[in-house]
Structure formats: structure tokens, C-alpha cells
Amino acid sequence: MKNTVPRLVKGDTVGLVALSSLVEPEKLGEALAFLDELDLRYKIGETIHAKHDYLAGSDEERLADFHTMVKDPEVKAIFCVKSGYGSARIAGKIDYDLLAENPKIFWGFSDLTYLHCAIHEFADLVTFHGPMLMAASKMDDISRKMFLQLFTPMEVQYTEMISPLTTISPGVARGQIVGGNLRRLVSTLGTKFEVRTDGKILLIEDIAESISRIDSMLQQLKQARKLEQLAGVIIGSFTQTGADEAALLTLMTEYFAELGVPVVAGFKIGHEITNIAIPLGVDAILDAQEKVLRILPGIQ
């Protein structure tokens, strides 16, 4: 299991950064209002107002902003406010030892999947796969409540009370949760940040990818031998695929049913109004019979 990170206390300061696509700062108000609700103070990183083509500042600016937040003793968590594309461009230059020496909450999803993999590999820290703060106004109540896991160590339990789940393959598995956005996971292959899946429970989600593209990416994971030693699979939200749920389920069944490990689909983790935040790098139990996922706390 990865090292858990220190919890937040009301009144703590958190850092807001954009490590991917550029931000429209005028839309930041809802994010700040949400942090006010959580009783958190904030420091706004340089990247929130920076612009370099389609990125939130140059690679050097985004890297510097991240390092500034890591070094700042007042900053107890780093929230990525927007995804898009760009985090992979700085992954090779991040000082992971600095992060390991100053462990703090790192929160984001989608494009940030690349950095989740990198931080797990080189800083050995738990990270959090959760909604971007720029989407604060679009989050439903349960998604907003998931931020409370940063203040009190609590087991995250996902049952059909949240959404209907479909068992693709039965069984019970225990292992670390890894993964995130399918496209970004595939882009780690062949790099030093390559996602490690042996003995792990793999989470996948994506948006605006056609069924054929999803098939292609799963095929690449398969041929890279990333599916052979899995402990289990959590299939999150696949939105805007242009196909119905049945077609997606058929595809997932083709890839995962024969693995002999528990596989469950239907988790609202990903690009939807309900986006359940979970810690990555901690132990979890996936019970495909009972359709329950239990995840240990990511904070201490």
C-alpha cells in the first residue's frame, strides 16, 4: 500500500493549480465558494491565470507552480482545478523526492491520471481521483460530500445505493486501486511512468471516445500484458461514447470476463454529475457477488 497523506483540518490552506489545459479564471468563483463551504483557505497558483497556447502556462511555469505548492509548508493539499491535456509534459521533470518529503493531498482526475501513476511510482504516495474544482457547480450532493474523506479517515463504501452495478465476472478481490482515465493510462505504456497493474484492482473511465477507440485502447492494455495479473476491475463512467450501455457492456465482457477475477461495471467514477472521489494506491476489497467496493482511507 502507498503511504497515506496527512489529513486536512478546517481552516487549512490548499493550493489551486492548473497542470493541464488553460483555465478561464472568471469561472473560478464557484470553486472558491465550495472551498469556503469546506472551511478551507486557498492560495491561487500562477497557472490559474497563465496561458501558453492551449496550456495553462508553459511547461516550466506549470512545473514551477506545482513545486511551489509542494514546498509551501502552509499548503496542505494541491487541487488541480481543470484537466484537458498537458500533465504528461511535466511528469519527467517533477521532483518526486521533494513530494515524498512533503507529503500532501494531490487531487484531480482525467488528464491527471498520468500524474497519479507518476506519483505512485516515484513518491510512493496515495493520491485522490476526484472531480475538478472548476466543476463544483455541476457536482451533485454525494460528490460534494466525498471531499469530507480528506478531513476524517473513513472507509469509502460504494454500493448500489449510489448507482446500479453490473457484475461481469464474479469473485472477491483485495488489492491496491490503480488507474483512472483509460486514454491516459494507455499513454503511460512504454514510459517510466507505466501503470503497474500486477495484483492491483484496475479502475478505468473515459469520455468522448467511440466504442472502437475504447476497444483499441483495451486491446493495447491487453497486448502490453497489463490485464494478465489483475486482482479485479472497476469499470467507471464511459460517457459520450455514441453507443448504448449494452454495446459498452458487451465490449467490457469480451475483455474482462475471461480473466477469472471480479469485474463490476456501473460505478459513477468519471465524467458525470455524480463523480465519486476515491483514493488511489490504497487497499480495497471488490466483492462482485454483493456488488460492494470498500476502500481504505487515503489520509492519516
Side-chain angles (χ1 to χ4, degrees):
M1 186 162 133
K2 302 295 174 197
N3 294 311
T4 51
V5 290
R7 72 185 75 178
L8 290 179
V9 177
K10 292 195 170 202
D12 272 351
T13 298
V14 300
L16 305 186
V17 296
L19 303 180
S20 306
S21 295
L22 66 96
V23 173
E24 296 164 73
E26 64 276 8
K27 293 185 178 172
L28 201 62
E30 290 150 353
L32 302 183
F34 179 56
L35 291 175
D36 289 338
E37 278 175 44
L38 292 173
D39 208 359
L40 292 171
R41 297 186 176 92
Y42 39 83
K43 291 189 177 184
I44 294 175
E46 301 287 330
T47 50
I48 301 302
H49 295 278
K51 182 177 187 298
H52 179 81
D53 294 334
Y54 44 83
L55 301 165
S58 66
D59 293 352
E60 291 70 28
E61 286 174 304
R62 299 195 322 286
L63 183 69
D65 210 18
F66 180 70
H67 283 152
T68 298
M69 295 300 183
V70 173
K71 285 180 207 160
D72 189 332
E74 283 186 3
V75 171
K76 306 300 183 190
I78 299 170
F79 286 102
C80 298
V81 301
K82 190 178 176 192
S83 65
Y85 168 73
S87 69
R89 294 175 57 114
I90 64 168
K93 295 181 185 151
I94 288 173
D95 185 341
Y96 295 97
D97 290 339
L98 182 71
L99 186 56
E101 288 156 17
N102 299 275
K104 48 188 74 177
I105 291 157
F106 178 77
W107 180 290
F109 87 117
S110 196
D111 185 60
L112 284 307
T113 295
Y114 205 97
L115 292 189
H116 288 310
C117 291
I119 291 168
H120 291 175
E121 185 65 26
F122 293 103
D124 206 33
L125 293 177
V126 169
T127 57
F128 290 84
H129 185 283
M132 296 298 182
L133 286 184
M134 288 295 268
S137 65
K138 299 187 187 81
M139 283 185 257
D140 62 8
D141 284 347
I142 189 166
S143 304
R144 293 165 84 91
K145 285 195 179 100
M146 296 309 292
F147 283 81
L148 301 179
Q149 68 183 291
L150 301 179
F151 295 87
T152 308
M154 59 175 84
E155 187 180 270
V156 174
Q157 182 161 308
Y158 196 121
T159 69
E160 288 198 290
M161 296 280 286
I162 299 173
S163 66
L165 299 172
T166 304
T167 298
I168 287 176
S169 181
V172 180
R174 179 170 183 143
Q176 269 180 46
I177 293 195
V178 299
N181 182 262
L182 179 58
R183 184 199 242 184
R184 295 294 177 249
L185 289 173
V186 167
S187 71
T188 68
L189 299 178
T191 74
K192 67 178 183 178
F193 307 111
E194 186 164 298
V195 62
R196 292 183 181 265
T197 58
D198 286 10
K200 307 288 196 339
I201 297 174
L202 177 67
L203 162 69
I204 54 171
E205 67 80 35
D206 220 321
I207 183 171
E209 297 286 4
S210 65
I211 285 282
S212 61
R213 280 276 305 147
I214 296 165
D215 186 343
S216 166
M217 291 187 284
L218 292 174
Q219 186 60 226
Q220 196 168 345
L221 280 183
K222 181 179 180 179
Q223 296 204 25
R225 307 188 73 173
K226 293 294 170 184
L227 307 183
E228 289 178 13
Q229 304 294 326
L230 289 175
V233 183
I234 299 163
I235 298 168
S237 301
F238 279 78
T239 47
Q240 298 174 29
T241 61
D244 60 13
E245 285 296 310
L248 185 66
L249 213 53
T250 299
L251 181 66
M252 295 297 172
T253 303
E254 277 178 22
Y255 277 95
F256 297 120
E258 302 300 307
L259 298 180
V261 299
V263 181
V264 181
F267 289 94
K268 297 285 184 188
I269 299 172
H271 294 76
E272 280 198 76
I273 289 169
T274 303
N275 184 1
I276 301 298
I278 63 168
L280 296 173
V282 297
D283 275 3
I285 294 173
L286 176 63
D287 186 331
Q289 269 91 334
E290 298 294 324
K291 297 184 189 173
V292 178
L293 173 65
R294 293 187 185 87
I295 311 170
L296 286 177
I299 56 160
Q300 61 201 19

